[in-house]
Amino acid sequence: MKKFFRRNAPAYVFLSPWFVGFFLLALGPILASLYLSFTRYDMVGDPRWVGLDNYEYMFERDRRFWKALEVTFTYVALAVPARLAMALGVAMLLDKGLRTIGLYRAIFYLPSLLGSSIAIAILWRQLFSVDGVVNQVLAKFGIEGAAWISDPNTSLYTLVVLAMWQFGSPMLIFLAGLRGIPRDLYEAAEIDGTSKRRQFFRITLPLLAPVIFFNLVLQTIEAFKTFSSAFIISNGTGAPADSLLFYTVYLFNEAFKFFRMGYASALAWVLLLIIGFFTAMTFFTSKYWVHYENERD
Amino acid sequence: MKTNATDMTVRDKNAQIAHEIRLGQKKRARRARIYKHIFLIGMSIVMLYPLFWLLASSLKPENEIFSTLTLWPSEFNWNNYTEGWNALPKSFTVFYMNSAIVTVLSVIGNLLSCSFAAYAFARLQFNGKNLFFALMMMTLMIPYHVVLIPQYVLFLNLGWVDTYLPLVVPRFLASDAFFIFLMVQFFRQLPRELDEAAMIDGCSPYKIYWAIILPLSLPAMGTAAIFSLIWVWEDFLAPLIYLNDIKSYTVPLALRLFLDQEGQSIFGQMFAMSVLSLVPVIVFFIAFQKLIVRGIATSGMK
């Protein structure tokens, strides 16, 4: 016992803040929200046990839940590939043949840092408003723009464009990955007269596959969590016509506008399971990207 | 003799052709590089245009904002800044003070608690290490929305709602696992012999952390500080939930108030305050670049 104590004491002392945080702010709340998801709870009285009612309502009767899933999945399916394609394309342009890439890299990375701020969400609302910049530019070319943000058919695309604008951080990861590919592979291919296209599909893509997959999973999780920009652009409600009803926005409103804490907890658990699925994918593929990390050093 | 001469001319010609090919390749490579630069410059303009538009609109007279594409204002209207600063029920001095308090405390909390945990994970041996490390990595993926409601109930019962405690205290409890992970990665690269030598000299683990690991990790600490500073500064969801009194609003919450009182007359001021809210991030981004370069130079990686 004494020996156990002497061996572990320093480490446990260093870990003590994390222990408290882990139990009080992570594990505890996750279990608590599982419990709450089986109750009706409005924060005034005590939680009342209702069994599976919340889940039953969610899956069978709640149309807004399905709408929120549809909006979120559509956004993920569009924004993630678009952002990654931008990131890879630009990373490849920057990787070869240019001596000074620092400034470009900085310019392309900046939006990633600013992107989740409220100021940018406010800016985006104005860029895509009826008399906004986008429509003015289109008018110059004789094209009549749409109402973008106030039109339910186009509103989601403005957020996809916002996501594309923030391709900086996956771009940096791609750049690191591209540096890990041995140059002589390309030189050999060049001597054999292999076309650039073929080089991309036969060398770059396969050797970059682990990094691409890592980025894909990471960005997918990130996209599921999108909140601030959707909240601001949709006036906090998911408007127009619920076309911006992101899952997180719906959850927030159920919890903090209507105080349906039990139901919101059930929504939270479904979100946890969805993201858990993608987390599991990261976990099972981690051996690839850990390998890549070592190689780079 | 004759054949020799033809040989010479053939060889000369070959050399000539090879030279021309090489020249052509160089020329083509140069031209490709120029096209690339043109493309990248064009793209930089597109990427930066929204930011410049925001800056320009914050300086334009109200009627010019949506009527012209020209970025240059016909006259510089600094009123948007002075009037915007006081346009809301409380002045932005209050909001910036609030944001500064929350941000500074959060960054200190993140650096301390995360470096403690990272030191244990990276340099110490103890029972349950693998299990705890795996659990820590799992919290990395948990969306904030999942723990939000029970955390809110907890803080409400503690009487912490409408104070900064729900925003700051979690950061002293290493709640942001990303920074633990970042520091673990860095601590692991430091040579182990340092700890061992210090241990033999009778240094305790506490002293090793304070006197060896921490001073050697300043670049990593800097990176973590910059990232956490920017994220806390931009944080919207937690303040939205925990701060109800306008006196305690942070800058992002204050910006949102502009949206509630929409109407043409307020746009310029809203843009001016938006610009100001981005300034710290951009300034620290530039500083962060330098920090990274210096970190790489001093640590000798790459």
Side-chain angles (χ1 to χ4, degrees), chain A residues 227 231 252 256, chain B residues 167 235-244 249-250 253 256:
Chain A
F227 176 76
F231 186 83
F252 175 88
F256 294 99
Chain B
L167 308 181
D235 190 15
F236 176 65
L237 178 54
L240 180 67
I241 287 165
Y242 291 113
L243 305 178
N244 301 315
Y249 271 19
T250 56
L253 287 184
R256 192 187 161 227

Side-chain angles (χ1 to χ4, degrees), chain A residues 116-128:
Chain A
S116 59
S117 65
I118 298 309
I120 295 299
I122 288 175
L123 165 68
W124 226 249
R125 269 170 66 117
Q126 307 314 326
L127 288 181
F128 285 93

Side-chain angles (χ1 to χ4, degrees), chain B residues 37-246:
Chain B
H37 275 294
I38 292 172
F39 178 80
L40 287 170
I41 288 168
M43 196 162 151
S44 302
I45 292 170
V46 173
M47 291 292 286
L48 291 179
Y49 185 83
L51 298 176
F52 284 125
W53 185 85
L54 183 66
L55 179 65
S57 302
S58 75
L59 290 166
K60 281 178 181 173
E62 204 69 48
N63 57 12
E64 242 174 76
I65 296 180
F66 291 105
S67 60
T68 161
L69 272 177
T70 329
L71 283 183
W72 201 257
S74 66
E75 52 175 316
F76 284 85
N77 192 4
W78 296 100
N79 292 349
N80 284 335
Y81 284 84
T82 49
E83 279 162 22
W85 191 266
N86 293 309
L88 299 173
K90 289 273 168 229
S91 104
F92 264 81
T93 318
V94 175
F95 304 137
Y96 272 87
M97 286 300 288
N98 295 339
S99 267
I101 292 169
V102 171
T103 307
V104 169
L105 289 176
S106 297
V107 170
I108 294 172
N110 264 338
L111 287 187
L112 280 178
S113 62
C114 292
S115 69
F116 284 173
Y119 174 64
F121 282 130
R123 308 298 271 199
L124 299 177
Q125 294 306 322
F126 56 93
N127 294 67
K129 183 172 170 174
N130 290 338
L131 172 70
F132 294 139
F133 190 74
L135 288 174
M136 188 272 290
M137 291 302 286
M138 275 163 81
T139 61
L140 211 57
M141 299 293 171
I142 295 170
Y144 186 51
H145 279 83
V146 173
V147 292
L148 196 61
I149 292 164
Q151 276 190 15
Y152 181 77
V153 174
L154 172 73
F155 291 137
L156 189 71
N157 285 326
L158 289 171
W160 286 6
V161 169
D162 246 330
T163 72
Y164 296 132
L165 293 171
L167 308 181
V168 170
V169 171
R171 266 107 187 196
F172 279 89
L173 298 176
S175 64
D176 203 339
F178 170 80
F179 295 111
I180 304 180
F181 180 63
L182 188 93
M183 292 177 193
V184 166
Q185 294 291 82
F186 192 87
F187 290 170
R188 276 184 181 157
Q189 290 175 1
L190 300 174
R192 236 163 230 289
E193 292 78 29
L194 291 174
D195 304 29
E196 281 154 17
M199 204 86 88
I200 290 165
D201 287 348
C203 265
S204 68
Y206 310 104
K207 186 137 192 227
I208 294 175
Y209 163 80
W210 186 251
I212 297 176
I213 300 294
L214 216 50
L216 284 176
S217 306
L218 290 183
M221 291 293 144
T223 308
I226 297 298
F227 269 111
S228 90
L229 190 144
I230 290 173
W231 289 342
V232 176
W233 183 263
E234 290 182 345
D235 190 15
F236 176 65
L237 178 54
L240 180 67
I241 287 165
Y242 291 113
L243 305 178
N244 301 315
D245 189 345
I246 191 166

